[in-house]
Amino acid sequence: MGDHRVPPACRPRDRRTNRLQRPLCPPTTTGVAGSFPTGLGSNPGHPVPLGFVFRSRAKDEKAQAADKALVTDSNETRHPEAPKGRPTPKRSEAQSQRRSVANTSMTRKDAAKRGREERRAALEKQRQALAGGDERYLPARDKGPVRKFARDFIDSRFNIAEFFLPMAVVILVLSLVRVPALQNIALLLWLVVIVLIVLDSVVTGFRLKKRLAERFPDDNRRGAVAYALMRSLQMRRLRLPKPQVKRGERP
């Protein structure tokens, strides 16, 4: 420690000789520079550690709350501010757990097998819907009230186009006969059938368009007439979805 000198202004004078007395020894200090001298009331004999003074009370309160928290059933909802009762896993541990679960739960072969089973189940539901008319599992082109009305409109009446396939077979047989008269009749029947199908399709499309505008003024009717005309070309037994109305029944 360096020599602590007391300035002359701080020295008392002798009244008889009017001289400065001997310098007083400054109080000895211990510890860190700037600390209070020992023996004073402001500085205790055993200094208090700083960690005790400035310790965090939040950790102590959380620890006490975690100790007092009751273990509840897993079915009950936990309050968002309540402690979890378990330490949060590290990021590496969480990733490894997810990776292990993903690898062990389903392999590539199992995923492919599961996909085939799901597709098979979906096709089975779609087949049953086409046979029974269930709207939930129908294909996208057959869904909706507009398409259902178009199907019922075609199924409720006779259409010349649905007899095109049987008449085409008859005309083909007549054309193969080596008789010129029969071949001419077959050619004439072919032309008549085509003209009748075109006229019947035009009339059916015009009526269906008018009925759709009256029944569904605010719905999307795009493609409904063409959808109905394509259905009219099929025989009644081969139509999918299956007809839900009888002939002559008003849809």
Side-chain angles (χ1 to χ4, degrees), residues 15 28 41 48 66 85 91 196 207 241:
R15 296 180 179 178
T28 58
V48 181
R91 183 176 181 181
L196 290 177
R207 291 180 178 177

Side-chain angles (χ1 to χ4, degrees), residues 8 15-16 40 47 57 110 124 133 136 141 150 158-159 163 200 210 224 228 233 239:
R15 296 180 179 178
R16 294 176 295 178
L40 298 179
R57 297 182 180 178
D110 295 338
E124 180 63 21
R136 296 176 299 173
R141 66 183 182 87
F158 285 94
N159 301 281
F163 301 105
D200 183 67
K210 183 178 180 181
L233 293 174
R239 293 173 183 174

Side-chain angles (χ1 to χ4, degrees), residues 15 17 24 38 49 67 81-82 94 102 112 115-116 119 131 150 159 176 188 190 207 217 225 228 234 239 245-246 248:
R15 296 180 179 178
T17 61
L24 300 176
T38 58
D67 294 338
E81 297 182 357
R116 288 194 299 269
R119 288 193 297 271
N159 301 281
L176 293 178
L188 182 62
W190 184 257
R207 291 180 178 177
V225 176
Q234 302 173 356
R239 293 173 183 174
V245 296
K246 298 179 180 180

